[in-house]
Amino acid sequence: MKLYIKNPKFAYKKIVSRYVLVDIRDEDQIHRLNPIASDIWEMCDGKHTVDEMVKIMSKRYSDVPLNLKDDIVVFVNKMLKSDIIKEI
Amino acid sequence: MNMKDRKNIPQVFEDSMREAYDNFIPVYTTIEITLGCNFRCKHCYNFDRTVSNKSDLPLMSTELILKTINDVAKQGALFITLTGGEVLLHNDLEKFIKEIINNNSVCRLKTNAFALNKKIISNFENWGVSTIDITMYGASNETYKKFCDVNDGFTQLEKAINYFKNTKIKIFLNIFIHKYSYDEFEQMISFAKYHDVEFYVATEITERYDGSKGAKDYELTLSERETLMKGNYKDYFLSKCSGTPQFQCACARNVCGINSQGDVMPCIGAPVKSGNLFNDSFENIWNNSKELNEIRNIKRSDFKSCVTCDVNEYCSRSSGGIYSNTGDYYGCDTTTYENAKLSKKLMS
């Protein structure tokens, strides 16, 4: 199963409930994650697979969509494409 | 006089900055790591460098600065700027930069660029420095000598700018117009454009933080400021707000400053001492300081002279600068009023 880590080339801070990510190689590259995306981002710590993310999110939120796993996969792929996380 | 924003903040970021402003998260934190400097600028806001080096002041140790970096990052400092004095003179600059990066923050440095060389710049790039903010004091070695008491200052600046060209580090030139660089202003702008460097323009000079007099003697005269406001680059100097004029800035909200003696302040440009890191934690000072909370609770109506001012729509006041000049955070000073009045006259 695949695991993911945050790309260390991005600085990040949680501002209220959302993470803001800044590419330290180009400060104009800024990403702002919504609260759900922020939860998933936090789990990109080299310890959580997508299945584990699904389990945790299902427990944390009562109204998760039926296709939660698909949504997470799409988002993880988007983060990989944006280079903000890496697969290990 | 107004200072143009050095770049537009991406839209996606604005909402977060508003949240940080509303929730008092020190996203932009500046830490002064040294008072030592290789320049002797006439206007320096720290103290009169022509007569003293203030070597007797109790400065933060390397350990305390490292702890402070950790602590401000924990409170949400996404952008940490190291300033001085001259940051390049601190022996442990590398440690500080690495600590900032390890705390998942963006590292910015403010420097006069004099001590920069290829090796240092290459190290900065490897360590993860994002942005270097360089103050430009003139467009000739003569002006650097006269104002900063340094030989070959302009030559060194140009060398440094060229070294950066093959790196990913972003540089901003702070084009500083004072009594001696006034005649070189257009050359300074041309220099920035020629080297394709982003720049902003500043003319403010404040009284010194230690109370010694003389810094403002080097400020532009009213007539010089008017000439700039009518000149080819007038947009850098004229000011007019859209909507209702606001007088409060981001001080103590999403901005914080810490001086080299460990004083926590609402902004590095607003020397309102609000607690000291030698005897208290940053977390406690930031969240509970009487001075910071007082600033956070300021209402528009507290700026009594501003609310009724005849030129408030044209004003670009800086509470920190005004506090330095008058001791009144809520008030006004002569230069600020004159600039707003000139803007009104020339823009009406």
Side-chain angles (χ1 to χ4, degrees), chain B residues 13-47:
Chain B
F13 196 44
E14 280 185 10
D15 292 341
S16 285
M17 289 310 94
R18 169 52 60 178
E19 285 180 341
Y21 181 94
D22 290 341
N23 291 280
F24 316 138
I25 299 170
V27 172
Y28 296 99
T29 295
T30 299
I31 305 174
E32 185 183 77
I33 58 171
T34 179
L35 280 179
C37 193
N38 44 9
F39 281 19
R40 298 283 174 270
C41 298
K42 307 275 190 205
H43 76 301
C44 182
Y45 64 79
N46 286 132
F47 53 86

PDB file of all heavy atoms in Angstrom, chain B residues 13-47:
ATOM      1  N   PHE B  13      -4.772  33.623  -1.052  1.00  0.00           N
ATOM      2  CA  PHE B  13      -4.102  33.867   0.210  1.00  0.00           C
ATOM      3  C   PHE B  13      -4.836  34.910   1.057  1.00  0.00           C
ATOM      4  O   PHE B  13      -4.732  34.924   2.285  1.00  0.00           O
ATOM      5  CB  PHE B  13      -2.686  34.350  -0.106  1.00  0.00           C
ATOM      6  CG  PHE B  13      -1.727  34.289   1.042  1.00  0.00           C
ATOM      7  CD1 PHE B  13      -1.673  33.182   1.867  1.00  0.00           C
ATOM      8  CD2 PHE B  13      -0.869  35.323   1.288  1.00  0.00           C
ATOM      9  CE1 PHE B  13      -0.779  33.121   2.913  1.00  0.00           C
ATOM     10  CE2 PHE B  13       0.027  35.284   2.327  1.00  0.00           C
ATOM     11  CZ  PHE B  13       0.066  34.171   3.145  1.00  0.00           C
ATOM     12  N   GLU B  14      -5.581  35.759   0.387  1.00  0.00           N
ATOM     13  CA  GLU B  14      -6.188  36.893   1.089  1.00  0.00           C
ATOM     14  C   GLU B  14      -7.150  36.468   2.197  1.00  0.00           C
ATOM     15  O   GLU B  14      -7.166  37.069   3.268  1.00  0.00           O
ATOM     16  CB  GLU B  14      -6.891  37.813   0.099  1.00  0.00           C
ATOM     17  CG  GLU B  14      -5.906  38.729  -0.590  1.00  0.00           C
ATOM     18  CD  GLU B  14      -6.580  39.740  -1.491  1.00  0.00           C
ATOM     19  OE1 GLU B  14      -7.811  39.855  -1.444  1.00  0.00           O
ATOM     20  OE2 GLU B  14      -5.854  40.394  -2.246  1.00  0.00           O
ATOM     21  N   ASP B  15      -7.949  35.458   1.922  1.00  0.00           N
ATOM     22  CA  ASP B  15      -8.912  35.003   2.932  1.00  0.00           C
ATOM     23  C   ASP B  15      -8.187  34.483   4.173  1.00  0.00           C
ATOM     24  O   ASP B  15      -8.606  34.732   5.303  1.00  0.00           O
ATOM     25  CB  ASP B  15      -9.806  33.901   2.359  1.00  0.00           C
ATOM     26  CG  ASP B  15     -10.717  34.445   1.281  1.00  0.00           C
ATOM     27  OD1 ASP B  15     -10.918  35.680   1.239  1.00  0.00           O
ATOM     28  OD2 ASP B  15     -11.219  33.644   0.471  1.00  0.00           O
ATOM     29  N   SER B  16      -7.103  33.765   3.931  1.00  0.00           N
ATOM     30  CA  SER B  16      -6.347  33.253   5.075  1.00  0.00           C
ATOM     31  C   SER B  16      -5.718  34.381   5.870  1.00  0.00           C
ATOM     32  O   SER B  16      -5.654  34.339   7.104  1.00  0.00           O
ATOM     33  CB  SER B  16      -5.242  32.295   4.608  1.00  0.00           C
ATOM     34  OG  SER B  16      -5.816  31.074   4.239  1.00  0.00           O
ATOM     35  N   MET B  17      -5.259  35.397   5.165  1.00  0.00           N
ATOM     36  CA  MET B  17      -4.654  36.531   5.880  1.00  0.00           C
ATOM     37  C   MET B  17      -5.708  37.287   6.681  1.00  0.00           C
ATOM     38  O   MET B  17      -5.441  37.793   7.762  1.00  0.00           O
ATOM     39  CB  MET B  17      -3.944  37.461   4.897  1.00  0.00           C
ATOM     40  CG  MET B  17      -2.671  36.893   4.313  1.00  0.00           C
ATOM     41  SD  MET B  17      -1.538  36.219   5.563  1.00  0.00           S
ATOM     42  CE  MET B  17      -1.991  34.500   5.579  1.00  0.00           C
ATOM     43  N   ARG B  18      -6.916  37.342   6.165  1.00  0.00           N
ATOM     44  CA  ARG B  18      -8.012  37.973   6.903  1.00  0.00           C
ATOM     45  C   ARG B  18      -8.313  37.156   8.167  1.00  0.00           C
ATOM     46  O   ARG B  18      -8.495  37.712   9.242  1.00  0.00           O
ATOM     47  CB  ARG B  18      -9.239  38.081   5.978  1.00  0.00           C
ATOM     48  CG  ARG B  18     -10.544  38.460   6.628  1.00  0.00           C
ATOM     49  CD  ARG B  18     -10.499  39.703   7.475  1.00  0.00           C
ATOM     50  NE  ARG B  18     -10.114  40.911   6.765  1.00  0.00           N
ATOM     51  CZ  ARG B  18     -10.050  42.127   7.337  1.00  0.00           C
ATOM     52  NH1 ARG B  18     -10.335  42.283   8.619  1.00  0.00           N
ATOM     53  NH2 ARG B  18      -9.690  43.177   6.635  1.00  0.00           N
ATOM     54  N   GLU B  19      -8.324  35.827   8.005  1.00  0.00           N
ATOM     55  CA  GLU B  19      -8.557  34.966   9.180  1.00  0.00           C
ATOM     56  C   GLU B  19      -7.445  35.131  10.214  1.00  0.00           C
ATOM     57  O   GLU B  19      -7.693  35.171  11.415  1.00  0.00           O
ATOM     58  CB  GLU B  19      -8.657  33.495   8.757  1.00  0.00           C
ATOM     59  CG  GLU B  19      -9.980  33.172   8.094  1.00  0.00           C
ATOM     60  CD  GLU B  19     -10.080  31.705   7.686  1.00  0.00           C
ATOM     61  OE1 GLU B  19      -9.041  31.022   7.571  1.00  0.00           O
ATOM     62  OE2 GLU B  19     -11.212  31.253   7.475  1.00  0.00           O
ATOM     63  N   ALA B  20      -6.221  35.237   9.713  1.00  0.00           N
ATOM     64  CA  ALA B  20      -5.086  35.426  10.632  1.00  0.00           C
ATOM     65  C   ALA B  20      -5.206  36.776  11.328  1.00  0.00           C
ATOM     66  O   ALA B  20      -4.932  36.892  12.529  1.00  0.00           O
ATOM     67  CB  ALA B  20      -3.771  35.329   9.864  1.00  0.00           C
ATOM     68  N   TYR B  21      -5.630  37.764  10.592  1.00  0.00           N
ATOM     69  CA  TYR B  21      -5.815  39.115  11.150  1.00  0.00           C
ATOM     70  C   TYR B  21      -6.879  39.075  12.248  1.00  0.00           C
ATOM     71  O   TYR B  21      -6.692  39.624  13.335  1.00  0.00           O
ATOM     72  CB  TYR B  21      -6.230  40.052  10.015  1.00  0.00           C
ATOM     73  CG  TYR B  21      -6.450  41.493  10.409  1.00  0.00           C
ATOM     74  CD1 TYR B  21      -5.419  42.427  10.297  1.00  0.00           C
ATOM     75  CD2 TYR B  21      -7.688  41.932  10.859  1.00  0.00           C
ATOM     76  CE1 TYR B  21      -5.617  43.756  10.644  1.00  0.00           C
ATOM     77  CE2 TYR B  21      -7.898  43.255  11.212  1.00  0.00           C
ATOM     78  CZ  TYR B  21      -6.859  44.170  11.105  1.00  0.00           C
ATOM     79  OH  TYR B  21      -7.073  45.480  11.454  1.00  0.00           O
ATOM     80  N   ASP B  22      -7.970  38.399  11.960  1.00  0.00           N
ATOM     81  CA  ASP B  22      -9.085  38.352  12.919  1.00  0.00           C
ATOM     82  C   ASP B  22      -8.764  37.495  14.143  1.00  0.00           C
ATOM     83  O   ASP B  22      -9.328  37.697  15.215  1.00  0.00           O
ATOM     84  CB  ASP B  22     -10.344  37.794  12.244  1.00  0.00           C
ATOM     85  CG  ASP B  22     -10.917  38.778  11.232  1.00  0.00           C
ATOM     86  OD1 ASP B  22     -10.586  39.982  11.315  1.00  0.00           O
ATOM     87  OD2 ASP B  22     -11.671  38.344  10.348  1.00  0.00           O
ATOM     88  N   ASN B  23      -7.893  36.500  13.943  1.00  0.00           N
ATOM     89  CA  ASN B  23      -7.612  35.553  15.038  1.00  0.00           C
ATOM     90  C   ASN B  23      -6.223  35.745  15.655  1.00  0.00           C
ATOM     91  O   ASN B  23      -5.773  34.880  16.413  1.00  0.00           O
ATOM     92  CB  ASN B  23      -7.769  34.115  14.520  1.00  0.00           C
ATOM     93  CG  ASN B  23      -9.215  33.791  14.219  1.00  0.00           C
ATOM     94  OD1 ASN B  23      -9.997  33.486  15.106  1.00  0.00           O
ATOM     95  ND2 ASN B  23      -9.598  33.887  12.937  1.00  0.00           N
ATOM     96  N   PHE B  24      -5.571  36.821  15.304  1.00  0.00           N
ATOM     97  CA  PHE B  24      -4.271  37.177  15.884  1.00  0.00           C
ATOM     98  C   PHE B  24      -3.229  36.048  15.709  1.00  0.00           C
ATOM     99  O   PHE B  24      -2.650  35.544  16.670  1.00  0.00           O
ATOM    100  CB  PHE B  24      -4.407  37.514  17.376  1.00  0.00           C
ATOM    101  CG  PHE B  24      -5.590  38.386  17.700  1.00  0.00           C
ATOM    102  CD1 PHE B  24      -6.370  38.142  18.817  1.00  0.00           C
ATOM    103  CD2 PHE B  24      -5.922  39.454  16.876  1.00  0.00           C
ATOM    104  CE1 PHE B  24      -7.464  38.943  19.108  1.00  0.00           C
ATOM    105  CE2 PHE B  24      -7.023  40.258  17.165  1.00  0.00           C
ATOM    106  CZ  PHE B  24      -7.792  40.003  18.285  1.00  0.00           C
ATOM    107  N   ILE B  25      -3.007  35.689  14.478  1.00  0.00           N
ATOM    108  CA  ILE B  25      -1.972  34.691  14.173  1.00  0.00           C
ATOM    109  C   ILE B  25      -0.799  35.433  13.515  1.00  0.00           C
ATOM    110  O   ILE B  25      -0.974  36.059  12.465  1.00  0.00           O
ATOM    111  CB  ILE B  25      -2.522  33.589  13.242  1.00  0.00           C
ATOM    112  CG1 ILE B  25      -3.679  32.869  13.935  1.00  0.00           C
ATOM    113  CG2 ILE B  25      -1.427  32.615  12.837  1.00  0.00           C
ATOM    114  CD1 ILE B  25      -4.458  31.929  13.054  1.00  0.00           C
ATOM    115  N   PRO B  26       0.382  35.381  14.134  1.00  0.00           N
ATOM    116  CA  PRO B  26       1.504  36.208  13.645  1.00  0.00           C
ATOM    117  C   PRO B  26       2.152  35.637  12.380  1.00  0.00           C
ATOM    118  O   PRO B  26       3.327  35.230  12.390  1.00  0.00           O
ATOM    119  CB  PRO B  26       2.474  36.196  14.828  1.00  0.00           C
ATOM    120  CG  PRO B  26       2.247  34.870  15.473  1.00  0.00           C
ATOM    121  CD  PRO B  26       0.771  34.554  15.307  1.00  0.00           C
ATOM    122  N   VAL B  27       1.396  35.635  11.294  1.00  0.00           N
ATOM    123  CA  VAL B  27       1.865  35.021  10.045  1.00  0.00           C
ATOM    124  C   VAL B  27       3.173  35.651   9.571  1.00  0.00           C
ATOM    125  O   VAL B  27       4.071  34.964   9.114  1.00  0.00           O
ATOM    126  CB  VAL B  27       0.779  35.159   8.950  1.00  0.00           C
ATOM    127  CG1 VAL B  27       1.317  34.701   7.600  1.00  0.00           C
ATOM    128  CG2 VAL B  27      -0.451  34.339   9.321  1.00  0.00           C
ATOM    129  N   TYR B  28       3.246  36.972   9.691  1.00  0.00           N
ATOM    130  CA  TYR B  28       4.466  37.680   9.279  1.00  0.00           C
ATOM    131  C   TYR B  28       5.236  38.110  10.526  1.00  0.00           C
ATOM    132  O   TYR B  28       4.842  39.057  11.210  1.00  0.00           O
ATOM    133  CB  TYR B  28       4.114  38.924   8.463  1.00  0.00           C
ATOM    134  CG  TYR B  28       3.421  38.637   7.157  1.00  0.00           C
ATOM    135  CD1 TYR B  28       2.038  38.754   7.046  1.00  0.00           C
ATOM    136  CD2 TYR B  28       4.139  38.251   6.031  1.00  0.00           C
ATOM    137  CE1 TYR B  28       1.389  38.493   5.846  1.00  0.00           C
ATOM    138  CE2 TYR B  28       3.509  37.987   4.832  1.00  0.00           C
ATOM    139  CZ  TYR B  28       2.133  38.115   4.746  1.00  0.00           C
ATOM    140  OH  TYR B  28       1.500  37.862   3.562  1.00  0.00           O
ATOM    141  N   THR B  29       6.275  37.386  10.825  1.00  0.00           N
ATOM    142  CA  THR B  29       7.059  37.734  12.018  1.00  0.00           C
ATOM    143  C   THR B  29       8.493  38.086  11.620  1.00  0.00           C
ATOM    144  O   THR B  29       9.120  37.369  10.843  1.00  0.00           O
ATOM    145  CB  THR B  29       7.057  36.563  13.021  1.00  0.00           C
ATOM    146  OG1 THR B  29       5.714  36.369  13.489  1.00  0.00           O
ATOM    147  CG2 THR B  29       7.957  36.851  14.219  1.00  0.00           C
ATOM    148  N   THR B  30       8.951  39.199  12.139  1.00  0.00           N
ATOM    149  CA  THR B  30      10.315  39.645  11.863  1.00  0.00           C
ATOM    150  C   THR B  30      11.130  39.558  13.142  1.00  0.00           C
ATOM    151  O   THR B  30      10.680  40.016  14.197  1.00  0.00           O
ATOM    152  CB  THR B  30      10.309  41.099  11.356  1.00  0.00           C
ATOM    153  OG1 THR B  30       9.549  41.145  10.141  1.00  0.00           O
ATOM    154  CG2 THR B  30      11.725  41.591  11.070  1.00  0.00           C
ATOM    155  N   ILE B  31      12.292  38.940  13.043  1.00  0.00           N
ATOM    156  CA  ILE B  31      13.175  38.813  14.204  1.00  0.00           C
ATOM    157  C   ILE B  31      14.493  39.527  13.899  1.00  0.00           C
ATOM    158  O   ILE B  31      15.163  39.214  12.909  1.00  0.00           O
ATOM    159  CB  ILE B  31      13.448  37.333  14.547  1.00  0.00           C
ATOM    160  CG1 ILE B  31      12.122  36.561  14.751  1.00  0.00           C
ATOM    161  CG2 ILE B  31      14.327  37.224  15.796  1.00  0.00           C
ATOM    162  CD1 ILE B  31      12.311  35.061  14.949  1.00  0.00           C
ATOM    163  N   GLU B  32      14.824  40.458  14.755  1.00  0.00           N
ATOM    164  CA  GLU B  32      16.104  41.172  14.625  1.00  0.00           C
ATOM    165  C   GLU B  32      17.150  40.333  15.346  1.00  0.00           C
ATOM    166  O   GLU B  32      17.056  40.161  16.565  1.00  0.00           O
ATOM    167  CB  GLU B  32      15.942  42.545  15.289  1.00  0.00           C
ATOM    168  CG  GLU B  32      17.117  43.472  15.155  1.00  0.00           C
ATOM    169  CD  GLU B  32      16.846  44.772  15.918  1.00  0.00           C
ATOM    170  OE1 GLU B  32      16.946  44.776  17.156  1.00  0.00           O
ATOM    171  OE2 GLU B  32      16.514  45.771  15.272  1.00  0.00           O
ATOM    172  N   ILE B  33      18.117  39.808  14.592  1.00  0.00           N
ATOM    173  CA  ILE B  33      19.051  38.864  15.220  1.00  0.00           C
ATOM    174  C   ILE B  33      20.345  39.531  15.692  1.00  0.00           C
ATOM    175  O   ILE B  33      21.112  38.926  16.430  1.00  0.00           O
ATOM    176  CB  ILE B  33      19.383  37.674  14.292  1.00  0.00           C
ATOM    177  CG1 ILE B  33      19.982  38.155  12.962  1.00  0.00           C
ATOM    178  CG2 ILE B  33      18.140  36.816  14.057  1.00  0.00           C
ATOM    179  CD1 ILE B  33      20.533  37.019  12.110  1.00  0.00           C
ATOM    180  N   THR B  34      20.584  40.726  15.241  1.00  0.00           N
ATOM    181  CA  THR B  34      21.803  41.430  15.672  1.00  0.00           C
ATOM    182  C   THR B  34      21.626  42.932  15.534  1.00  0.00           C
ATOM    183  O   THR B  34      20.816  43.392  14.723  1.00  0.00           O
ATOM    184  CB  THR B  34      23.027  40.983  14.838  1.00  0.00           C
ATOM    185  OG1 THR B  34      24.177  41.704  15.268  1.00  0.00           O
ATOM    186  CG2 THR B  34      22.833  41.236  13.355  1.00  0.00           C
ATOM    187  N   LEU B  35      22.401  43.666  16.305  1.00  0.00           N
ATOM    188  CA  LEU B  35      22.452  45.121  16.117  1.00  0.00           C
ATOM    189  C   LEU B  35      23.713  45.503  15.347  1.00  0.00           C
ATOM    190  O   LEU B  35      23.862  46.623  14.882  1.00  0.00           O
ATOM    191  CB  LEU B  35      22.450  45.845  17.467  1.00  0.00           C
ATOM    192  CG  LEU B  35      21.103  46.001  18.166  1.00  0.00           C
ATOM    193  CD1 LEU B  35      21.298  46.712  19.501  1.00  0.00           C
ATOM    194  CD2 LEU B  35      20.116  46.768  17.305  1.00  0.00           C
ATOM    195  N   GLY B  36      24.633  44.527  15.234  1.00  0.00           N
ATOM    196  CA  GLY B  36      25.889  44.791  14.547  1.00  0.00           C
ATOM    197  C   GLY B  36      25.657  45.089  13.076  1.00  0.00           C
ATOM    198  O   GLY B  36      24.779  44.498  12.447  1.00  0.00           O
ATOM    199  N   CYS B  37      26.428  46.012  12.534  1.00  0.00           N
ATOM    200  CA  CYS B  37      26.241  46.359  11.126  1.00  0.00           C
ATOM    201  C   CYS B  37      27.568  46.807  10.531  1.00  0.00           C
ATOM    202  O   CYS B  37      28.415  47.381  11.226  1.00  0.00           O
ATOM    203  CB  CYS B  37      25.187  47.463  10.994  1.00  0.00           C
ATOM    204  SG  CYS B  37      24.636  47.677   9.283  1.00  0.00           S
ATOM    205  N   ASN B  38      27.743  46.523   9.239  1.00  0.00           N
ATOM    206  CA  ASN B  38      28.954  46.968   8.548  1.00  0.00           C
ATOM    207  C   ASN B  38      28.742  48.331   7.884  1.00  0.00           C
ATOM    208  O   ASN B  38      29.630  48.838   7.225  1.00  0.00           O
ATOM    209  CB  ASN B  38      29.400  45.916   7.518  1.00  0.00           C
ATOM    210  CG  ASN B  38      28.231  45.371   6.724  1.00  0.00           C
ATOM    211  OD1 ASN B  38      27.110  45.878   6.819  1.00  0.00           O
ATOM    212  ND2 ASN B  38      28.471  44.343   5.929  1.00  0.00           N
ATOM    213  N   PHE B  39      27.542  48.888   7.992  1.00  0.00           N
ATOM    214  CA  PHE B  39      27.252  50.238   7.509  1.00  0.00           C
ATOM    215  C   PHE B  39      27.073  51.161   8.713  1.00  0.00           C
ATOM    216  O   PHE B  39      26.761  50.702   9.806  1.00  0.00           O
ATOM    217  CB  PHE B  39      25.957  50.251   6.674  1.00  0.00           C
ATOM    218  CG  PHE B  39      26.107  49.748   5.259  1.00  0.00           C
ATOM    219  CD1 PHE B  39      27.183  48.976   4.868  1.00  0.00           C
ATOM    220  CD2 PHE B  39      25.144  50.058   4.298  1.00  0.00           C
ATOM    221  CE1 PHE B  39      27.314  48.510   3.567  1.00  0.00           C
ATOM    222  CE2 PHE B  39      25.268  49.596   2.995  1.00  0.00           C
ATOM    223  CZ  PHE B  39      26.350  48.830   2.618  1.00  0.00           C
ATOM    224  N   ARG B  40      27.247  52.414   8.462  1.00  0.00           N
ATOM    225  CA  ARG B  40      26.991  53.426   9.506  1.00  0.00           C
ATOM    226  C   ARG B  40      25.994  54.426   8.936  1.00  0.00           C
ATOM    227  O   ARG B  40      26.302  55.610   8.784  1.00  0.00           O
ATOM    228  CB  ARG B  40      28.296  54.155   9.883  1.00  0.00           C
ATOM    229  CG  ARG B  40      29.362  53.244  10.480  1.00  0.00           C
ATOM    230  CD  ARG B  40      29.065  52.909  11.943  1.00  0.00           C
ATOM    231  NE  ARG B  40      30.002  51.938  12.476  1.00  0.00           N
ATOM    232  CZ  ARG B  40      29.822  50.617  12.432  1.00  0.00           C
ATOM    233  NH1 ARG B  40      28.738  50.103  11.887  1.00  0.00           N
ATOM    234  NH2 ARG B  40      30.711  49.797  12.944  1.00  0.00           N
ATOM    235  N   CYS B  41      24.801  53.937   8.630  1.00  0.00           N
ATOM    236  CA  CYS B  41      23.811  54.794   7.972  1.00  0.00           C
ATOM    237  C   CYS B  41      23.396  55.942   8.889  1.00  0.00           C
ATOM    238  O   CYS B  41      23.133  55.733  10.077  1.00  0.00           O
ATOM    239  CB  CYS B  41      22.583  53.982   7.574  1.00  0.00           C
ATOM    240  SG  CYS B  41      22.969  52.699   6.387  1.00  0.00           S
ATOM    241  N   LYS B  42      23.299  57.100   8.292  1.00  0.00           N
ATOM    242  CA  LYS B  42      22.991  58.301   9.070  1.00  0.00           C
ATOM    243  C   LYS B  42      21.609  58.222   9.725  1.00  0.00           C
ATOM    244  O   LYS B  42      21.385  58.803  10.782  1.00  0.00           O
ATOM    245  CB  LYS B  42      22.995  59.535   8.154  1.00  0.00           C
ATOM    246  CG  LYS B  42      24.248  59.703   7.321  1.00  0.00           C
ATOM    247  CD  LYS B  42      25.319  60.423   8.096  1.00  0.00           C
ATOM    248  CE  LYS B  42      26.475  60.815   7.174  1.00  0.00           C
ATOM    249  NZ  LYS B  42      27.720  60.972   7.898  1.00  0.00           N
ATOM    250  N   HIS B  43      20.681  57.552   9.065  1.00  0.00           N
ATOM    251  CA  HIS B  43      19.286  57.608   9.507  1.00  0.00           C
ATOM    252  C   HIS B  43      18.901  56.421  10.400  1.00  0.00           C
ATOM    253  O   HIS B  43      17.764  56.333  10.822  1.00  0.00           O
ATOM    254  CB  HIS B  43      18.373  57.551   8.289  1.00  0.00           C
ATOM    255  CG  HIS B  43      18.284  56.165   7.714  1.00  0.00           C
ATOM    256  ND1 HIS B  43      19.388  55.486   7.267  1.00  0.00           N
ATOM    257  CD2 HIS B  43      17.230  55.315   7.578  1.00  0.00           C
ATOM    258  CE1 HIS B  43      19.017  54.294   6.844  1.00  0.00           C
ATOM    259  NE2 HIS B  43      17.722  54.144   7.023  1.00  0.00           N
ATOM    260  N   CYS B  44      19.831  55.485  10.641  1.00  0.00           N
ATOM    261  CA  CYS B  44      19.479  54.203  11.268  1.00  0.00           C
ATOM    262  C   CYS B  44      18.524  54.385  12.454  1.00  0.00           C
ATOM    263  O   CYS B  44      18.760  55.191  13.344  1.00  0.00           O
ATOM    264  CB  CYS B  44      20.732  53.482  11.743  1.00  0.00           C
ATOM    265  SG  CYS B  44      20.377  51.875  12.463  1.00  0.00           S
ATOM    266  N   TYR B  45      17.438  53.593  12.444  1.00  0.00           N
ATOM    267  CA  TYR B  45      16.431  53.775  13.497  1.00  0.00           C
ATOM    268  C   TYR B  45      16.842  53.136  14.828  1.00  0.00           C
ATOM    269  O   TYR B  45      16.239  53.407  15.859  1.00  0.00           O
ATOM    270  CB  TYR B  45      15.048  53.260  13.054  1.00  0.00           C
ATOM    271  CG  TYR B  45      14.976  51.771  12.783  1.00  0.00           C
ATOM    272  CD1 TYR B  45      14.868  50.855  13.830  1.00  0.00           C
ATOM    273  CD2 TYR B  45      14.985  51.277  11.493  1.00  0.00           C
ATOM    274  CE1 TYR B  45      14.791  49.492  13.580  1.00  0.00           C
ATOM    275  CE2 TYR B  45      14.916  49.923  11.224  1.00  0.00           C
ATOM    276  CZ  TYR B  45      14.814  49.030  12.286  1.00  0.00           C
ATOM    277  OH  TYR B  45      14.749  47.691  12.037  1.00  0.00           O
ATOM    278  N   ASN B  46      17.841  52.268  14.790  1.00  0.00           N
ATOM    279  CA  ASN B  46      18.260  51.630  16.040  1.00  0.00           C
ATOM    280  C   ASN B  46      18.918  52.627  16.996  1.00  0.00           C
ATOM    281  O   ASN B  46      18.521  52.756  18.142  1.00  0.00           O
ATOM    282  CB  ASN B  46      19.243  50.488  15.771  1.00  0.00           C
ATOM    283  CG  ASN B  46      18.573  49.262  15.184  1.00  0.00           C
ATOM    284  OD1 ASN B  46      19.036  48.706  14.201  1.00  0.00           O
ATOM    285  ND2 ASN B  46      17.466  48.843  15.784  1.00  0.00           N
ATOM    286  N   PHE B  47      19.969  53.246  16.476  1.00  0.00           N
ATOM    287  CA  PHE B  47      20.699  54.234  17.287  1.00  0.00           C
ATOM    288  C   PHE B  47      21.636  54.993  16.361  1.00  0.00           C
ATOM    289  O   PHE B  47      21.768  54.638  15.182  1.00  0.00           O
ATOM    290  CB  PHE B  47      21.462  53.583  18.440  1.00  0.00           C
ATOM    291  CG  PHE B  47      22.364  52.454  18.024  1.00  0.00           C
ATOM    292  CD1 PHE B  47      23.663  52.694  17.599  1.00  0.00           C
ATOM    293  CD2 PHE B  47      21.898  51.141  18.042  1.00  0.00           C
ATOM    294  CE1 PHE B  47      24.486  51.655  17.205  1.00  0.00           C
ATOM    295  CE2 PHE B  47      22.728  50.093  17.634  1.00  0.00           C
ATOM    296  CZ  PHE B  47      24.021  50.347  17.219  1.00  0.00           C
TER     297      PHE B  47
END
